Amino acid sequence: MKKAAAATKRIKSDNQLLDQGISQLLAAVKQQAAAKGKPLKRDQLLKEGYSERFIAKVEQA
């Protein structure tokens, strides 16, 4: 019996990896903010060291 061919791995570009990471981070930050009962503020996110790209995603969400 032959083994099934291994599924080819889909290679992601750097931008796709960044977007995926940002989405996961956004979900975690939103969950943390909801647990504390505080809204996400641009100034606070900048102060905590989040990137402009991440903050743009927060503002879209």
Side-chain angles (χ1 to χ4, degrees):
M1 233 192 274
K2 290 185 179 181
K3 291 185 177 182
T8 57
K9 288 189 175 184
R10 196 174 118 202
I11 299 173
K12 293 183 179 183
S13 71
D14 289 342
N15 285 338
Q16 288 173 321
L17 286 174
L18 281 173
D19 286 341
Q20 180 183 2
I22 286 172
S23 295
Q24 291 173 342
L25 181 60
L26 177 59
V29 170
K30 280 181 167 181
Q31 185 178 20
Q32 185 181 26
K36 290 181 179 179
K38 296 181 180 179
L40 296 175
K41 296 180 183 176
R42 178 181 180 81
D43 294 335
Q44 183 64 29
L45 293 174
L46 283 171
K47 185 178 176 183
E48 292 177 8
Y50 291 103
S51 70
E52 288 292 331
R53 187 177 186 153
F54 175 77
I55 294 171
K57 287 267 187 181
V58 170
E59 291 172 348
Q60 287 176 354

